[in-house]
Amino acid sequence: MSNVSKAGGDDPNNATSRTTFGRSVESQAQRRDAASEAFETADGETLNIYRLEPLAAPQDPRWGNATNHGIIVVAARTAGDARIVASSRELDFKEVDAAPAEDVTTSNASAFRDDKLYSVVEIDRGRRDVNRGVLQGTVSVNTILPVQTDR
């Protein structure tokens, strides 16, 4: 049984949308940049400065699955991109025997991507004198523990 409903009109409802995902300039840039750890800024690109601050209390159970890195300052295109820039500094552990299509990346489990753990505050905008990346703070790489080990 489908949860799709239709209100009026003669067109059949096939549960699809005319919208497209990931085709905006920002989405394409974020996907391209998230795949690499290069933080070089394109010539003339304007960046904003963001401060990522821990939002949840230290005893919040969400911290059981994530590392509190403290306050991190990054140069990024948008607030969402600031989360991606910060999380790209964490270790991305992929299972040893997994195929690439099995989506075994741990990058989506970052505390920086959780809006209940970290808030993003814009502190400066329109900067051309910085490169995209972490400007202040330390992001630990020992955040993910492997399930398997290489032999």
Side-chain angles (χ1 to χ4, degrees):
M1 176 176 232
S2 173
N3 64 352
V4 176
S5 62
K6 181 179 175 186
D10 294 331
D11 296 330
N13 188 342
N14 60 4
T16 61
S17 169
R18 289 186 295 273
T19 61
T20 56
F21 175 77
R23 294 212 179 151
S24 71
V25 173
E26 180 179 313
S27 291
Q28 290 175 4
Q30 287 178 349
R31 287 174 39 202
R32 186 176 54 248
D33 292 337
S36 71
E37 289 190 354
F39 297 105
E40 281 129 38
T41 304
D43 290 335
E45 184 176 22
T46 302
L47 297 174
N48 303 320
I49 309 298
Y50 296 94
R51 183 176 61 241
L52 286 86
E53 296 184 5
L55 186 60
Q59 64 274 16
D60 191 307
R62 289 182 190 94
W63 289 119
N65 296 328
T67 300
N68 184 340
H69 299 282
I71 296 174
I72 304 293
V73 177
V74 301
R77 296 178 182 102
T78 64
D81 188 42
R83 291 182 183 278
I84 290 172
V85 168
S87 67
S88 69
R89 286 287 183 97
E90 292 178 318
L91 178 66
D92 183 14
F93 179 80
K94 298 179 182 182
E95 291 298 327
V96 174
D97 296 327
E102 291 177 342
D103 192 26
V104 294
T105 182
T106 56
S107 63
N108 294 327
S110 172
F112 295 117
R113 292 186 178 213
D114 187 341
D115 62 348
K116 303 285 191 260
L117 291 176
Y118 269 90
S119 66
V120 180
V121 179
E122 183 179 292
I123 57 176
D124 198 5
R125 77 174 16 243
R127 300 275 301 267
R128 293 180 181 262
D129 61 331
V130 293
N131 288 335
R132 185 173 172 268
V134 175
L135 303 177
Q136 292 177 0
T138 303
V139 179
S140 174
V141 294
N142 62 352
T143 56
I144 306 294
L145 298 176
V147 175
Q148 299 171 330
T149 58
D150 271 337
R151 295 175 211 190

